[in-house]
Amino acid sequence: MPHVTFIHGIANKPDEKKLKKIWLDALANDLLNNDDAIDLGAIGITSSMIYWADVLYDKPAEDEVFESIRDDESSEAVISEAAKDPDMAWREGLSGEEKKLVDSLAAKLSFDVLMNDDAVPTEVEMAKTLERIPLPWFVKRRLMKWLLKDVHHYLFNKTFSPRVGESFVVQDEIRNRVLNKLNDVKTDLHIVISHSMGTVIIYDCLKRVADCPAIDGLMTIGSPLGIDEVQDKFAPEWNRENGFAEKIKGPWINIYDSLDPVAGFDGDIANDYKQNGTEVIQVINEQNWGAWRHDITNYLSGPKLRAALKLMLKI
């Protein structure tokens, strides 16, 4: 019987148990009335969640503190004006490769336009940022802070203390969690479904960690793997002609919405992760709805995603 391992993306999250339920419920709903729901538990498919939000965030997101941009309790997205912005003091004093990568990524994201909480952007600045994506300004600013922080701390394996008395070497800790979860799976068909920053983490482990076990299929959703600055940190193990992770024994399917502010920079990643010079990743453009296009609950409701997942799971 198949097993599905989930791995979540950027920003703080509800606790692991609730987050896993949100993902399972999103797959099992029939929100779009397509009669294509996938209730994993009902058909005997087991699942697990690789949870890493506590490595970078103080405590799980709580309903009474956060409100969803979708105004929907079933949503994973917990972005509100009451939410706490990440402290960006870590960016001060960077030098060398770290400064180069962070500054380059920040420029690509128009991050410095967003840095000043009190700034009122000009029309030119607005045009350079994410105005094609209908999000409130505070959401855009916070999104870029989360993305820049999470990507930097993971890719550069920074030591970080998310709460008093506890500290992690970020990449080492998260890699260990990934390997532990993957090694726990004893099944003849193991599919990993990853979202956002989770796609960077699982790819890094599959491509660059010798002890990482193989999987039978990978689904990447709303992924920033198309960003050059991210790809550069995977070298020398990665290059465009042989970027495919050989520990993926079956299909790699990448799903993106062109209005997703994380994946929209380059959602068609097949040419960046070739196998012996050949494009092998199946890329699916599935447009979601509403303001928050990066929301995993929207993605998991998509008919194209569900059709692809059913094929992967052989159901």
Side-chain angles (χ1 to χ4, degrees), residues 4 22 49 150 268 271 282:
V4 174
I22 288 170
M49 171 68 71
D150 291 1
D268 189 351
N271 64 328
Q282 180 184 349

Side-chain angles (χ1 to χ4, degrees), residues 44 48 61 79 89 96 111 126 136 138 147 223 250 253 259:
S48 55
I79 303 176
F111 179 80
M126 298 270 274
F138 79 87
L147 180 58
S223 174
I253 298 175
L259 295 182

Side-chain angles (χ1 to χ4, degrees), residues 280-291:
V280 293
I281 300 175
Q282 180 184 349
V283 177
I284 297 174
N285 172 221
E286 178 148 72
Q287 296 301 110
N288 296 318
W289 62 92

